[in-house]
Amino acid sequence: MMTLPDRMARDIYELEPEYFLQQGVRLLVLDVDNTISPYHIHEASPELLAWAARMRAAGLELYILSNNRGNRPALFAAALGCPYIGRAKKPRTEGLREILRRCGLRPEQAAVIGDQIRSDIRCARRCGCRSVMVRPICIRNPFLALRYLCEAPWRAAYRRKHPQATEAC
């Protein structure tokens, strides 16, 4: 069975807090690499900080869940003022289940935002969380380009199922 996200967007900045609140979501679980920042940027942009502040002002909690084995999850979590779990091994669900436990929330009260079907969206679906897939911010690595190319059929299937979706997704 094909794993499709609940929603697709060009980037996180296209996402408004009202969408999540209407769905009963209270927690946004963010991937780092190519979701909130390109791999080669190691600090939060002013635009990212403003987006995070807008989400928090609306009553949404933020949490970072990343497969990154370096210090990037900690750097971005510190900048955004939120907790994190690194080395998550998504699509395995242990990290996401731990976040839900720590926050005292049910899966349907959380949305995972990421750039990859095979890790972020599958992890969310396996836990019963909502899922939002964004386009990768920057693709410099040929192996990443190939990985994203392999996900093209899922992106196309989403657009067929949701014809009103943003064409750029």
Side-chain angles (χ1 to χ4, degrees):
M1 182 167 76
M2 191 176 284
T3 301
L4 295 179
D6 293 303
R7 180 166 177 198
M8 286 179 64
R10 278 187 296 266
D11 54 39
I12 62 168
Y13 308 111
E14 190 176 278
L15 302 171
E16 294 295 330
E18 294 78 21
Y19 167 77
F20 297 107
L21 296 171
Q22 289 169 359
Q23 305 295 322
V25 169
R26 295 178 45 206
L27 172 69
L28 302 181
V29 179
L30 306 170
D31 177 49
V32 174
D33 298 323
N34 257 351
T35 297
I36 64 172
S37 181
Y39 282 95
H40 62 283
I41 303 294
H42 300 286
E43 59 188 45
S45 69
E47 187 178 27
L48 174 59
L49 295 174
W51 179 85
R54 195 168 68 251
M55 295 296 154
R56 260 199 224 82
L60 293 164
E61 294 179 60
L62 303 177
Y63 216 113
I64 288 179
L65 179 66
S66 175
N67 284 349
N68 191 296
R69 286 168 268 163
N71 64 349
R72 284 173 55 80
L75 292 172
F76 282 92
L80 297 178
C82 69
Y84 76 96
I85 292 178
R87 300 177 185 204
K89 299 180 184 174
K90 295 176 283 180
R92 292 176 57 179
T93 60
E94 291 86 354
L96 184 51
R97 291 186 193 284
E98 178 63 16
I99 290 171
L100 294 170
R101 187 193 65 72
R102 288 179 188 176
C103 294
L105 296 173
R106 296 182 313 277
E108 61 273 12
Q109 294 176 296
V112 176
I113 303 173
D115 65 311
Q116 293 184 48
I117 292 265
R118 105 180 153 71
S119 57
D120 306 309
I121 305 309
R122 280 184 63 205
C123 180
R125 295 303 231 177
R126 290 166 120 185
C127 278
C129 296
R130 298 195 62 76
S131 60
V132 179
M133 189 165 74
V134 297
R135 287 179 44 193
I137 296 171
C138 178
I139 305 171
R140 290 183 171 181
N141 179 317
F143 295 108
L144 282 177
L146 182 59
R147 182 186 304 163
Y148 291 122
L149 182 62
C150 290
E151 292 185 351
W154 284 267
R155 293 174 190 272
Y158 177 88
R159 285 192 299 273
R160 279 193 303 277
K161 186 174 178 182
H162 304 279
Q164 76 285 5
T166 304
E167 187 59 35
C169 294

